Amino acid sequence: MSNSALWAEIERAFARRGDQSYGEGVSQRAHALQCAALAEQRGAPPAEIVAALLHDIGHLIHDLPETIADDGIDTEHESLGAAWLSQWFGPDVSEPVLLHVAAKRYLCATEAGYFDELSAASVLSLRLQGGPMNEVAAVEFAARAGAAAAIRLRQLDDEGKDPAIATPPLEHFRPLVEALARR
Ligand code: FE
């Protein structure tokens, strides 16, 4: 498949589910675009901008109902998303995506005040995802190759939920996505 086919798949995923609520007063599309735009503004490397844009693609490509978290089910969207992304991108994109939920559990365990700042939806999903890490798990997490990038992604993830932020359209990120994808 060509890189334009990849872009078509991304557009289809956002067209299908991008208008769904992210659960914080913003849509899935707005959340993805805000995270990517914040990464870009901060001069993040291309892989981290693409990871920010596509970190929740796992929410857009499954066929489960939108309200699934309310039903107490963890869709493991990070594994689904990372597996999908690894067809196209290297571990510099897929690993932070795979670890962005673990990064939340890590930060809850290691950073004072982090938990208190989480949104209600994030607290609900944290419970489904296993809660804050214990000390052993936190040490193991910090040693993983993608951990630092996953923590940076997590911080973007926590910030990119502002109904008032305007972003460039999805198309803005197309050259970056296609340049980074394997041919
Ligand atoms: Fe997110």
Side-chain angles (χ1 to χ4, degrees):
M1 217 174 355
S2 70
N3 288 2
S4 60
L6 163 64
W7 187 256
E9 278 202 36
I10 290 170
E11 277 189 322
R12 204 175 314 123
F14 278 94
R16 216 169 135 245
R17 288 185 171 249
D19 291 329
Q20 284 189 353
S21 169
Y22 178 74
E24 326 258 350
V26 294
S27 66
Q28 288 282 353
R29 181 186 295 101
H31 173 61
L33 292 172
Q34 285 185 27
C35 292
L38 285 169
E40 191 176 43
Q41 280 162 28
R42 290 173 190 175
E48 292 191 20
I49 299 171
V50 171
L53 181 69
L54 300 176
H55 75 276
D56 280 337
I57 192 86
H59 281 314
L60 307 182
I61 57 176
H62 68 65
D63 281 312
L64 300 165
E66 186 179 355
T67 54
I68 190 121
D70 302 328
D71 301 331
I73 295 166
D74 180 5
T75 59
E76 296 184 16
H77 75 286
E78 69 278 20
S79 307
L80 197 62
W84 189 86
L85 288 166
S86 65
Q87 303 173 90
W88 297 100
F89 301 99
D92 50 349
V93 173
S94 61
E95 279 296 298
V97 172
L98 179 64
L99 296 179
H100 82 279
V101 170
K104 176 171 75 171
R105 300 181 56 223
Y106 173 80
L107 288 168
C108 283
T110 58
E111 204 173 284
Y114 179 82
F115 176 84
D116 301 321
E117 297 287 310
L118 287 178
S119 63
S122 247
V123 170
L124 172 65
S125 59
L126 175 70
R127 210 172 303 147
L128 299 177
Q129 290 154 350
M133 281 181 178
N134 64 35
E135 214 171 307
V136 175
V139 169
E140 276 172 13
F141 173 81
R144 292 185 68 158
I151 289 168
R152 288 192 292 275
L153 172 57
R154 187 72 228 176
Q155 284 156 348
L156 295 167
D157 195 4
D158 293 329
E159 282 179 71
K161 303 176 175 177
D162 183 345
I165 292 183
T167 66
L170 184 60
E171 190 69 22
H172 170 79
F173 297 100
R174 180 174 183 168
L176 197 65
V177 166
E178 292 189 343
L180 207 64
R182 296 187 195 104
R183 292 183 188 271

